[in-house]
Every structure is written in C-alpha cells, then in structure tokens.
Amino acid sequence: MKLLSDIEIAQATEKNHIKNIAEKLNIVEDDLEMYGKYKAKLPLYLIDEDKVKKNNLILVTALTPTPAGEGKTTVSIGLTEGLNKIGKQATVVLREPSLGPVFGIKGGAAGGGYSQVVPMEDINLHFTGDFNAIEKANNLLAALIDNNLQSKVNNLNIDPRTIGWKRVIDMNDRSLRQITIGLGGTANGIPREDGFNITAASEIMAILCMAQGRDDLKERIGNIFVGFTFDKKPIFARDLKAENAMAILLKDAIKPNLVQTLEKNPAIIHGGPFANIAQGTNSIIATKMGLSLSDYVITEAGFGADLGAEKFLNIKCAAAGLNPKCVVLVATIRALRHHGGSPSDEYNTPSVERVEAGFVNLEKHIENIRKFNIEPVVAINSFVSDTDEEVDLIIRKCDALGVHAVVSNGWAEGGNGTIDLAKTVVDIVENKAAEFKPLYNWKSPVKEKIEKIAKEIYGADGVDYDNKANLNLRRIEKLGFNDFPICMAKTQKSFSDNDKLIGRPEGFRITVREIEIAAGAKFLIPILGKMMRMPGLPSKPASEEMFIDDNGKISGLS
Amino acid sequence: MKLLSDIEIAQATEKNHIKNIAEKLNIVEDDLEMYGKYKAKLPLYLIDEDKVKKNNLILVTALTPTPAGEGKTTVSIGLTEGLNKIGKQATVVLREPSLGPVFGIKGGAAGGGYSQVVPMEDINLHFTGDFNAIEKANNLLAALIDNNLQSKVNNLNIDPRTIGWKRVIDMNDRSLRQITIGLGGTANGIPREDGFNITAASEIMAILCMAQGRDDLKERIGNIFVGFTFDKKPIFARDLKAENAMAILLKDAIKPNLVQTLEKNPAIIHGGPFANIAQGTNSIIATKMGLSLSDYVITEAGFGADLGAEKFLNIKCAAAGLNPKCVVLVATIRALRHHGGSPSDEYNTPSVERVEAGFVNLEKHIENIRKFNIEPVVAINSFVSDTDEEVDLIIRKCDALGVHAVVSNGWAEGGNGTIDLAKTVVDIVENKAAEFKPLYNWKSPVKEKIEKIAKEIYGADGVDYDNKANLNLRRIEKLGFNDFPICMAKTQKSFSDNDKLIGRPEGFRITVREIEIAAGAKFLIPILGKMMRMPGLPSKPASEEMFIDDNGKISGLS
C-alpha cells in the first residue's frame, strides 16, 4: 500500500460545510463570518464566562522533544476525534501555522496522517489573514517610529539607538536579520541599524493571544515599550498615538477561526506566538471560545512541558482564570531512546535499555505537572518503529508512578486510534480533577519567580545573572513591571540551558543573559541563550517541489 | 445640516447580504466564496468569453488631474447607480485600494459621498487578503534569490549587483526605500544594497492584473527577470523554481471580489497596480468577470487619460481582446481653473476666464480618445464651488466639438445625480459605438511605439534617449522583448514630462531616462522622471485620528 502524504489524505477527505460544523456547537449561521465554505470567524460575543468556568480544559504537552517534534498537534487532534467518538462534545483549539516555514524545511502545522485539521492548504497558507493583520499592525508602529524620528511637528526626541521595536515579515528570510535602513539622504529618513523578525515572533502576536477583548487589546498595544528619548524617558506606542490604528488593523484578526478535523469535528485555530521568546500557545480568546461552545477543549502549547506547559499554566491560565482539568504528556519511544543516549541516526532502532534510561526525562515532566495540582496522562504517540517491549516498559514505569500511559494512534487511525486515551482523560476529568494552582505568585520579586521555575521545573541548583540582566532588572523596577509573569526563553532541547544535557540533568545552574520586556503582552522574558527570531531557507527550499495546476489544485505542500 | 463623512455615510447605509447582490448577476450561492456577509470571491469558471465580447465596456478616465484627483472612482460608482436606475444591468469594476496610504495623507479609495462601495472599512483595510498574498509571493522570490546567493547546492552564480527584484510591504515607510541587507556575518546571507517598494508597485501586482488564468499567471511569474549571473547570463524566476510556490500563494488572490455600492448594485474589485510604473487598472480577469455577468461594465484607470486611458487601451484591451464602447472623460471645474492658470489656493474661486483658458487640456484629451476610434462623453464631476456660467461654458465648448458634456452629481445624490450621464452613455453605446483601434502595433520597433505615444497622445515634437535608455534598449533586443507594449512612466501632472507644463503644452520633447523590463507582466517601462514607489508618512499621520470602540466600530478612517 502506497503511504499517502498529509495533503493527499486531506484532499481525499470530504469536508462538511462550515455551517454544519458550527451547528454542532449550537452556533446559528447568522453568527458565522464565513471565509469560503470551510472556514469561518466567530464573533466575540459568543464567549460565555459561565461556560468557560464550567467546561473542561485539557492541555496537551510533551516530554523534552527531539528536533522533529513529538506530535502534540497530531495527538491533540486525534484525542478530540476520540472524545467525540465516545460521545463527548469536544473541540480542538490550536495555534495557526506560520507561513514562512512552509517554504523552508519544516512544512506546515495542521497535524498529520489521519489526525489533521482541514482545509490543510488554507490553514498552512494565508488562512483568514490573521498573520498578515498582525504583520501590518507591527509594521505600522515601526513606520510611525521612524517617521517620528524626522518629524518636525510632534518629534518625541527618541534616541534611535534605543529602539527595540523591529519590523516583521512572515517569510524565512535570513538576509533581513540585520540591516541598515533610512539610507539615501534626507528624504529617506534617519539611518539606523534594524532587522526583521518572522511575524510569529512579533509582540503583537503575543498581545493578541493574551488579550481578553478589543479594549484590552488596545490598551496592551498602547503599552508597548518602544525605547528611550535622548533624555532617558521611556516611550510607549501610545506616545505615538498608534494604538487605535493598530487595533483597527486587527479588527478581524481578534476573532477566532472555526475549521474542522478530518472526522468533521470542530477545530478553533487562532494565534501562533513563538514558543521560545513568547507564550507559544493559542489565544485566550480562542480557548475561552472553545470552552463557551463545547464540553471539552483540547489545546496544546509549544515545545516540551518545561516550556510550553509551564508558560501555559503560569502565564495564560493565571491571566485568564482558566482551570485545566488534565494534562496529556505526549511521549514517543523515539524521544525516550534519544534521552537514553541514542544518536540521531538510531532514533528508529529499538532499544529497551535506552528507553529505560531515557525514562527519567518523562518522569521529571510528570513530577512537574503534579506541582500544579494537575493529574497527568501519558500519551505514547505511536510510531511504526516502536516495539511492544519498549511500550510495555513505559506503561509499567508510569504505572509505578500512579500515572496512566496509553498508546495514541491517531496518526494512523484517527479517532479509532485514541479511544483508550479519550476514556482515560474523561476518567481523570470526571473523577480526579482538582483546582489548578500556579507555581508562583506574580507579585513575588522577579528573581524569586525565575528561581522558582529554574529550581522546581528545570531542576537547577540556582540562577546566575549576567551584568546586562542585572541592568535590565533595574530598568524593569524603574518602569514598574515587577509584577509581570515570567516567559522563559530557553532551549527546548534540555531541562537546562545547555542543549547537550539530555535526560534529567542535575547539578547545573542556569544563566540569565538579559531580560526583555514585553510591556504590551505583560510578561518579562529572561533570555538564557541565543534565540532565533528569523529562520532561513535551506539550500533546497521546499518551494521547489510544490505544484499548482490550472484549476488551483496544489501538490507538494506538507 | 452637518456634512457626513464618507465612513459615516457608509456605516449609516444598510447593506444587502452578498448572496442577494450575487443573485442580481445570476450567480447561485454555491458559486460564492463568502468572506463574511458582505464580500465574496468569484470562481474563475464564471468567465464566459462570448458574453465578454457581447457586453458593453465603459472606461472612466479624466483630464490632467490636480493633486487631489478629479473623482474617477466616485463618477464610476455614481454612473453605475445611474445606469441601474434607468433599467440597465450595470456593474462597476474597480481597483483595490492600497493599505499604506490609509495611514498617511491620502486615505482610502472606495469612492466618496453617496457614491461609494461598501463595506468601506474592509475594502480600505485588508479586504480579502489579495495585497497580502501578492506581497508574500513577491517576498518569497526575494528570499529565494538571497538564499541562492549563498547556496552551496544549486548556486546560480547570480551577481548580487545586478538584482533588480525588490521586496515589498504595504505600508508608507520611507525608511525602507534604501537599505543594506545580509549584515552580521556568514549566517545572515550576502551583504548587498536593497530596498522595499510599496506592494502596489510589485511586478506581481502587474502580472496578476494581466493574467488570464492560473497557467498564464504561473508562466508570467516564471518569466520574471531577476538579474544576471557573473558571466552575464539572464536569470529568471523559473531558474529558481519559484513559479509554482508563488502561484500557490496567489491561489485565492487571482479570484475577483464581489461587493456592493451604496445603492446595492454589484461592484467587482480586484487588483491595484501603480498607475505610474504599471498599468494602473484592475485585473483583466475582473473586467472579463464583470462583462460575463452584466450588460454594462464601468471601469476606471489611474491618473489622466494620457496615462490611464492610453495604457488601458494599448496594453490591457489589446492584450485581452476587449472592445470598450465609450470613454467617460471626468472633468472638474477646479481642474480646468488650474489648467487656466489658477494657483492652488484659488481652485475654489470661480473664474470663467480661467476655465475657458484651461479647456485646451480637456480638448486635447477628447482628441486623443477619438484616435482610438472611441466616442468620449465628458462628465463634469460636480463641486459646490462650481458656477452655472463655468459649467455652461464647458458644455458649449464640448458641444462645438461634437461631444456631450453632462454634469455628474453622484457624490451628493448617488444614482439620482447621474441619470443624464447614464442616458448619454447608453445612447453612445447603442447608437455610436465603433470598433476600438489601438494606437500602435505591438510588433513595431520599441522607439517607434514610444514616439507614437509621445507625439500623438502627449503632443510632443519628439523623444530623446539618455545613454542608459539606449543601453537598456540593447538589452531588451538581446533578451527578445521587443514586441512588448509600452507602459509609460511619466508625471500625471502634465501631458509632457515636466510637471510645470499645464494646459496643453506644445513645442516640447520628452526624455526617456531608462527603460525597465517587466518580463512577467510583459511590458516595457520607459522612465521619464523619478518615479515614487514607496511613499512616506506625513508629519501628522492619519493614523493618529482613528478610533475603534470595544465593539469594533471604527471612526476617523477616510
């Protein structure tokens, strides 16, 4: 049997009209803003805070991943199919994929195999224009800043050397990482160093995903920290009177998008902030929308649980008053072999010993989730190279910790492959869910909050601060941003800040090099290493293999 | 009575659901791709070449304009309302406004007063995402070029100094006009000079508007001329295997957009190429779509008739086999005063003498239209400062030339203000329309084509060529692009290439400084002066006065 590609599976599946998907959520057609027959935006007035409190939020996160990722999106979609199969009304709530990587190596991010959201091409391309709107809002502020530098009317006396606001573009384009702008004489502005980030790394993206309404969005935009005047006064976006125009550009982007899974269950897709320098999870509005419309909401957060789940819980849930009932920890035999010492060319080679040795990584994530007073389930995302011995070992070792580990086979079988997982999740929600408890109090001192994450989640002995970080802390104090939560920017490859330390490292310290302020998103970003904000294209870009025919049918997109 | 702003008028008008507008064009709901309730994309299979040939195409153009413009869009919309009022089935087919200028001085471009297309906010903001898709396709090619410069696998040996392909962004951002990219070391590409144009100036925009289908679009994209190798071989987009991925990014942007006028008549809005360095008129696909669906199509082309109508007729109509039946020449008393010597602060001061003196400009445009074997009508776009004497003078002087001049009052009255104009247009279409005849044969030598436009349309004595232009001509010859039509890049303020020569200048020559190649759009662009491709923001940007409330209602957008 020829193995079908994701796009072939997606194109071969008949889709329901989006109004029929909406019907499952009791949304009347008049409330839908359709974008073609298979996508729709949902109006914010459908959010119902009583239902948000009442219904069940499930987070899908993962152990420390290999570079290929361990399939959180695929498991999230598969679990949603499984829950619907066993009679629960469940909606998956996901991030929007970024366009740039589609033409590079990584490809899209709409799930895989028989656990996908569709229309896959649209979701991976421009979708409903949200990324574009974010890009334009971001770049309007940039244009207003540079325009002000040379304005004779309302000049704010901004010191160009202090401007931290970068332009963004949703393209893998390394040539734009570091540039000089404003060249060519007085008509072309004030020359200065600058650079482009990819759109997903824009603070506007982080803001949109933290905002709880239009006014909140506008206020947050106004709070964006731009830089300093020559006499050291802070400048915010509101000083440029930018927040209304930027919020106007986001008037539709703030509304979550409804699509469907391959099994015609509802999927809400909205926002896609970077998981390294931002919160890495979909919008609060989308999560609340899902909870307002269905009994179960399955959602995910980027990278391993030390980053994704920690930020999801301490930032997003704490900010929005969300109370997740269960955490699904995705593990793969491949990743456990990796943590047990397997070199990358042997990830597919069975080894009970390596899996056993690698289990310490999963064990630490299990311990961590319990620190939030949430009960985890382990989902073993099934791969063809897995052996029964390896799988049984994981199940037994989890059992010894009092945790259910269940094989999840949504990739190959859709909802039929996740029924056990779905039943286990329902059992926890109905019988074992407690009140979620954040790890730290936002009002604690900044260093105390960072130390708590480092010690309790990463297992570090302590935290060191570079000079720059200490200078940043004084600035944060001065600007009054002490009470913001912490959005750690750390490698996803290790619990520590050192890529090489796999498994469950011990006896290490982490170093905070600097601390960025996301004054609009309202969090602080301790930077533990070099963070990539603008990917490049590979030597042979994915774009070369794509094809579209005269009728608009696409192939070669993944 | 308080004068309402455009956005207030637009918001106060009840709109029909777009499926009801589609019904007027006999489009069934299943053929619509809705974008909310008031916008829809139309599938290309609705184009019917027999109807394109049979139905009536009307071009709205203008005399040489003042900087504020003379209201072609407003007259086009108003005339469409008027035609529908007298029982004709008419659709207006327009360009999409550019986002950048909305935040600068100019504001949007969805008509004005009681002759507008709606939803005005959406049309002036991201609309259905076409500009974004064009921007992404343009910038993917740019990223692929820079990626190739340092690729070790498929390096094409491109000489970075010869790359003519710029990145684009739909923002008024003068700081990006001239930049250096690829700084910061080997990881960030090859350093070189570059710059951003505004999206409307992208050749992708010109291509989209010239394309007659998806395969034609793809072929044209593949033909884009990128630069030369170090051993002087030409490089095209197809050498980078870019054309499929770029066409994929344009999969929805190629489809025209259906909206409505304030009087609930159909409006098709699609594409918006610059009128200075490109053809300045909506897509061939949109025009053909309009003609496939309604008896009358009213459309417009940028700037005065010497630029807009000339390019519309010699490039677009000749390429697509379109046969316009009538040309509406928009004149304003204000512009005639200007051509009669009025300084700008006296544009609103009545003066029969100045209007009489300025008439020579209109007279030349009338003569020009007749060279295409088309009968013109003059529409006097009404302003409150117009006097009866001035208006009567124009009507009498036109009459002496055998031309009907009719007052058009769509701005204040909608369709009720354009009934006379509509009747005059119908009379010409039904009784006086002949076979349109292009001014030149595409197969003539390049210099002959340029000279023909210069002498017959501009009234020049001849054409001079700078050295660079002659070098360019040899390159065009070598690359085999001689048979392309000519897309003149000239000031819109004068028949000549000198802004100062108002009225009907005589005894002048024009100078071609260089000739650009739009190998994908398939035209040559003789540059007669400095052409703006990236506007800046004013000292006090329009963005400062905008407002959006918590329910998403916008004000201050114009």
Side-chain angles (χ1 to χ4, degrees):
Chain A
M1 194 187 82
K2 182 183 166 277
L3 209 61
L4 294 177
S5 69
D6 288 350
I7 192 171
E8 286 167 334
I9 293 170
Q11 286 175 348
T13 307
E14 208 186 320
K15 296 184 287 289
N16 273 3
H17 196 291
I18 197 66
K19 65 189 176 193
N20 301 123
I21 304 298
E23 254 173 37
K24 295 190 180 188
L25 301 174
N26 299 312
I27 303 172
V28 298
E29 187 176 342
D30 196 51
D31 278 343
L32 286 181
E33 266 179 55
M34 283 183 237
Y35 279 60
K37 295 188 179 69
Y38 308 111
K39 296 168 285 179
K41 280 200 168 276
L42 301 175
L44 301 188
Y45 57 74
L46 295 179
I47 292 175
D48 176 339
E49 295 289 349
D50 289 338
K51 293 200 172 147
V52 170
K53 279 194 185 60
K54 201 189 103 230
N55 288 329
N56 305 302
L57 177 61
I58 317 296
L59 173 69
V60 176
T61 181
L63 83 180
T64 305
T66 65
E70 307 319 314
K72 287 188 303 292
T73 306
T74 303
V75 171
S76 300
I77 298 167
L79 172 57
T80 305
E81 311 284 39
L83 284 165
N84 278 287
K85 269 205 188 293
I86 63 168
K88 299 293 173 187
Q89 188 208 28
T91 298
V92 66
V93 181
L94 299 170
R95 284 175 287 170
E96 298 183 45
S98 189
L99 181 65
V102 169
F103 303 103
I105 301 172
K106 183 177 165 286
Y114 289 87
S115 287
Q116 291 190 63
V117 282
V118 286
M120 177 272 204
E121 302 94 321
D122 293 24
I123 294 168
N124 280 317
L125 294 168
H126 312 292
F127 201 25
T128 57
D130 297 342
F131 271 56
N132 172 48
I134 287 162
E135 189 172 309
K136 293 298 179 292
N138 183 104
N139 293 343
L140 174 61
L141 179 56
L144 291 170
I145 292 168
D146 276 294
N147 188 57
N148 189 271
L149 290 182
Q150 64 163 28
S151 170
K152 288 184 188 98
V153 184
N154 294 309
N155 196 296
L156 293 170
N157 194 32
I158 301 171
D159 180 350
R161 301 164 306 175
T162 68
I163 296 169
W165 192 254
K166 300 225 174 173
R167 288 168 173 82
V168 296
I169 185 173
D170 198 4
M171 197 54 66
N172 283 18
D173 194 348
R174 69 170 70 75
S175 296
L176 295 178
R177 282 178 191 150
Q178 201 170 321
I179 66 176
T180 54
I181 63 169
L183 306 177
T186 51
N188 295 354
I190 306 287
R192 67 181 184 89
E193 286 183 41
D194 198 13
F196 278 72
N197 292 334
I198 195 164
T199 303
S202 169
E203 191 184 338
I204 303 293
M205 178 63 87
I207 288 173
L208 186 87
C209 291
M210 290 301 292
Q212 303 215 35
R214 292 178 190 280
D215 277 353
D216 184 33
L217 176 77
K218 205 161 77 174
E219 191 218 309
R220 286 171 180 270
I221 291 173
N223 289 346
I224 290 170
F225 174 58
V226 166
F228 288 100
T229 63
F230 279 104
D231 47 355
K232 307 274 185 282
K233 288 197 202 96
I235 294 288
F236 302 93
R238 59 178 174 267
D239 297 318
L240 291 149
K241 301 189 182 76
E243 68 273 25
N244 275 286
M246 290 167 72
I248 285 172
L249 283 166
L250 298 168
K251 80 176 177 74
D252 296 315
I254 198 173
K255 299 178 218 162
N257 306 291
L258 180 67
V259 290
Q260 65 191 289
T261 65
L262 288 179
E263 295 180 9
K264 303 176 181 53
N265 290 310
I268 293 176
I269 304 193
H270 194 224
F274 255 33
N276 55 14
I277 49 103
Q279 70 270 45
T281 177
N282 65 76
S283 74
I284 287 176
I285 285 174
T287 304
K288 287 193 166 180
M289 183 67 76
L291 288 166
S292 302
L293 301 168
S294 56
D295 298 333
Y296 280 76
V297 161
I298 319 306
T299 190
E300 45 84 61
F303 297 146
D306 53 323
L307 284 163
E310 186 273 308
K311 294 178 185 183
F312 179 85
L313 297 166
N314 284 319
I315 301 176
K316 179 175 174 173
C317 290
L322 297 170
N323 182 27
K325 302 273 177 70
C326 171
V327 166
V328 176
L329 253 172
V330 176
T332 59
I333 299 296
R334 174 178 74 179
L336 289 166
R337 289 179 196 139
H338 159 76
H339 288 293
S342 173
S344 60
D345 58 352
E346 292 179 24
Y347 282 172
N348 293 324
T349 310
S351 165
V352 174
E353 298 68 35
R354 281 173 175 161
V355 169
E356 175 143 33
F359 185 78
V360 289
N361 182 271
L362 184 57
E363 183 180 39
K364 172 65 175 152
H365 286 294
I366 290 170
E367 290 171 18
N368 287 351
I369 298 302
R370 285 176 163 162
K371 291 179 182 172
F372 293 93
N373 210 24
I374 304 179
E375 196 47 38
V377 181
V378 169
I380 304 173
N381 187 18
S382 196
F383 278 68
V384 283
S385 61
D386 298 352
T387 64
D388 289 348
E389 292 73 20
E390 292 168 307
V391 171
D392 288 344
L393 178 75
I394 299 308
I395 293 174
R396 270 185 287 116
K397 289 181 80 84
C398 285
D399 203 44
L401 298 171
V403 171
H404 279 292
V406 189
V407 172
S408 175
N409 204 9
W411 185 82
E413 298 174 26
N416 284 331
T418 61
I419 287 175
D420 287 350
L421 178 61
K423 286 180 178 164
T424 309
V425 166
V426 169
D427 177 50
I428 289 180
V429 167
E430 291 184 352
N431 304 312
K432 295 169 198 156
E435 192 70 19
F436 147 72
K437 186 171 94 287
L439 187 74
Y440 59 82
N441 186 329
W442 286 14
K443 295 201 180 297
S444 305
V446 176
K447 282 194 172 181
E448 194 180 308
K449 290 182 278 195
I450 295 174
E451 192 160 300
K452 195 127 188 182
I453 295 168
K455 288 185 173 170
E456 300 212 17
I457 302 296
Y458 305 163
D461 291 341
V463 184
D464 300 315
Y465 293 84
D466 280 356
N467 275 343
K468 189 163 183 191
N470 279 313
L471 285 169
N472 293 155
L473 278 169
R474 282 203 283 283
R475 173 183 293 178
I476 289 160
E477 173 91 45
K478 211 169 124 187
L479 296 171
F481 297 145
N482 278 327
D483 291 353
F484 285 173
I486 304 299
C487 185
M488 297 293 275
K490 181 183 75 69
T491 177
Q492 70 271 27
K493 295 181 180 166
S494 170
F495 273 111
S496 75
D497 58 0
N498 176 355
D499 280 7
K500 303 283 175 294
L501 301 182
I502 52 172
R504 180 179 183 159
E506 285 181 337
F508 67 93
R509 299 177 64 82
I510 61 166
T511 305
V512 175
R513 300 176 193 285
E514 54 184 307
I515 305 178
E516 291 187 10
I517 302 167
K522 299 192 186 175
F523 48 66
L524 303 174
I525 311 167
I527 310 275
L528 306 192
K530 215 173 155 43
M531 289 295 125
M532 194 276 300
R533 296 174 205 213
M534 173 51 92
L537 290 169
S539 279
K540 190 174 162 54
S543 59
E544 294 188 4
E545 299 299 324
M546 295 177 180
F547 182 78
I548 181 168
D549 72 16
D550 203 30
N551 297 314
K553 189 175 176 193
I554 295 170
S555 55
L557 190 72
S558 66
Chain B
M1 194 188 81
K2 182 182 165 277
L3 211 60
L4 295 176
S5 69
D6 288 350
I7 192 171
E8 286 167 335
I9 293 170
Q11 287 175 348
T13 307
E14 209 187 318
K15 295 184 288 289
N16 273 2
H17 197 291
I18 197 67
K19 65 188 176 192
N20 301 123
I21 304 298
E23 255 173 37
K24 295 191 181 186
L25 300 173
N26 300 312
I27 303 173
V28 297
E29 187 176 341
D30 196 51
D31 279 342
L32 286 181
E33 265 180 57
M34 284 182 237
Y35 279 62
K37 296 189 178 69
Y38 308 111
K39 297 168 285 179
K41 280 199 168 277
L42 301 176
L44 301 187
Y45 57 74
L46 295 179
I47 292 176
D48 176 339
E49 294 289 350
D50 290 338
K51 291 200 173 146
V52 170
K53 281 197 181 60
K54 201 188 103 231
N55 288 327
N56 305 304
L57 178 61
I58 317 295
L59 174 69
V60 176
T61 181
L63 83 179
T64 304
T66 64
E70 308 317 315
K72 287 188 303 290
T73 306
T74 303
V75 171
S76 300
I77 298 167
L79 171 58
T80 304
E81 310 284 40
L83 283 165
N84 278 287
K85 270 206 187 294
I86 63 168
K88 299 293 174 187
Q89 187 208 28
T91 297
V92 66
V93 180
L94 299 170
R95 283 175 288 169
E96 298 182 46
S98 190
L99 181 66
V102 168
F103 302 103
I105 302 172
K106 184 178 165 284
Y114 289 88
S115 287
Q116 290 189 61
V117 282
V118 285
M120 178 270 203
E121 302 93 323
D122 293 24
I123 294 169
N124 280 316
L125 294 168
H126 312 293
F127 201 25
T128 57
D130 297 342
F131 271 55
N132 172 48
I134 287 162
E135 190 172 309
K136 293 298 178 293
N138 182 104
N139 293 344
L140 174 60
L141 179 56
L144 290 171
I145 293 168
D146 276 296
N147 188 57
N148 189 271
L149 290 182
Q150 64 162 29
S151 171
K152 287 182 188 98
V153 185
N154 294 308
N155 196 296
L156 294 169
N157 195 31
I158 301 170
D159 181 349
R161 301 164 306 176
T162 68
I163 297 169
W165 191 255
K166 299 224 175 175
R167 287 168 174 81
V168 297
I169 187 172
D170 198 4
M171 198 53 67
N172 283 18
D173 193 349
R174 68 169 72 75
S175 296
L176 294 179
R177 282 178 191 150
Q178 202 171 323
I179 67 177
T180 53
I181 63 169
L183 306 177
T186 52
N188 295 353
I190 306 288
R192 66 181 185 89
E193 285 183 42
D194 198 13
F196 278 72
N197 291 334
I198 195 165
T199 303
S202 168
E203 190 185 337
I204 303 294
M205 177 65 87
I207 287 173
L208 186 88
C209 292
M210 290 301 291
Q212 303 215 35
R214 292 181 189 277
D215 277 353
D216 184 32
L217 176 77
K218 204 161 78 174
E219 191 218 310
R220 286 169 179 271
I221 290 173
N223 289 347
I224 289 169
F225 175 58
V226 166
F228 288 100
T229 63
F230 278 104
D231 46 353
K232 307 275 186 281
K233 290 198 197 92
I235 294 288
F236 301 93
R238 59 179 174 267
D239 298 317
L240 290 149
K241 302 191 181 72
E243 68 273 27
N244 275 285
M246 291 167 72
I248 285 172
L249 283 166
L250 298 168
K251 80 177 176 73
D252 296 315
I254 198 174
K255 299 177 218 163
N257 307 291
L258 180 67
V259 290
Q260 64 192 288
T261 65
L262 288 179
E263 295 180 9
K264 303 174 180 57
N265 291 310
I268 293 175
I269 304 194
H270 194 224
F274 256 31
N276 56 14
I277 48 102
Q279 70 270 45
T281 176
N282 65 75
S283 74
I284 287 176
I285 286 174
T287 303
K288 285 192 167 182
M289 183 66 77
L291 288 166
S292 302
L293 301 168
S294 56
D295 299 334
Y296 280 76
V297 162
I298 319 304
T299 191
E300 45 84 62
F303 296 146
D306 53 325
L307 284 163
E310 187 272 308
K311 293 178 185 184
F312 179 85
L313 297 167
N314 285 319
I315 301 176
K316 179 175 175 173
C317 291
L322 297 171
N323 182 28
K325 303 274 175 69
C326 172
V327 166
V328 176
L329 253 173
V330 175
T332 60
I333 299 297
R334 174 179 74 178
L336 290 166
R337 290 178 196 139
H338 160 75
H339 288 293
S342 172
S344 61
D345 58 351
E346 292 179 25
Y347 282 172
N348 293 325
T349 311
S351 165
V352 174
E353 296 68 34
R354 282 173 175 163
V355 168
E356 174 142 34
F359 185 77
V360 289
N361 182 271
L362 185 57
E363 183 180 39
K364 172 66 175 152
H365 286 294
I366 290 171
E367 291 171 16
N368 287 351
I369 298 302
R370 285 175 163 164
K371 290 179 182 171
F372 293 92
N373 209 26
I374 304 179
E375 196 47 38
V377 181
V378 169
I380 304 172
N381 186 19
S382 196
F383 279 67
V384 283
S385 60
D386 299 351
T387 63
D388 289 347
E389 292 73 19
E390 293 170 308
V391 171
D392 289 344
L393 178 75
I394 298 309
I395 292 173
R396 269 185 286 116
K397 288 182 81 82
C398 285
D399 204 43
L401 298 171
V403 171
H404 278 292
V406 189
V407 172
S408 174
N409 204 8
W411 186 82
E413 298 174 26
N416 285 330
T418 61
I419 287 175
D420 287 350
L421 177 62
K423 285 180 178 164
T424 310
V425 166
V426 170
D427 177 51
I428 289 180
V429 167
E430 292 184 350
N431 304 312
K432 293 169 199 159
E435 193 69 20
F436 147 72
K437 186 170 95 296
L439 188 74
Y440 60 81
N441 184 331
W442 285 16
K443 296 202 180 298
S444 306
V446 176
K447 283 194 171 180
E448 193 181 307
K449 290 182 277 197
I450 295 174
E451 192 159 302
K452 195 126 189 184
I453 295 167
K455 289 186 173 168
E456 298 212 18
I457 301 296
Y458 304 163
D461 290 340
V463 185
D464 300 315
Y465 293 84
D466 280 356
N467 275 345
K468 190 164 181 188
N470 279 314
L471 285 170
N472 294 155
L473 278 169
R474 282 202 284 282
R475 175 184 291 179
I476 288 160
E477 173 91 46
K478 212 169 123 186
L479 295 171
F481 297 145
N482 279 328
D483 291 353
F484 285 172
I486 304 299
C487 184
M488 297 293 274
K490 180 183 76 71
T491 176
Q492 69 270 29
K493 295 181 181 167
S494 170
F495 273 111
S496 76
D497 57 1
N498 177 354
D499 280 7
K500 303 282 176 292
L501 302 183
I502 53 171
R504 179 179 184 158
E506 286 181 337
F508 66 93
R509 298 176 65 83
I510 62 167
T511 305
V512 176
R513 298 177 194 284
E514 54 183 307
I515 305 178
E516 291 186 10
I517 302 168
K522 299 192 186 174
F523 49 66
L524 302 175
I525 311 166
I527 309 275
L528 306 193
K530 213 172 155 41
M531 288 296 125
M532 195 278 300
R533 297 174 204 214
M534 172 49 93
L537 291 169
S539 279
K540 191 175 161 54
S543 59
E544 293 187 4
E545 300 298 324
M546 296 177 182
F547 182 79
I548 181 167
D549 72 15
D550 203 29
N551 297 314
K553 189 175 176 193
I554 295 169
S555 54
L557 190 72
S558 66

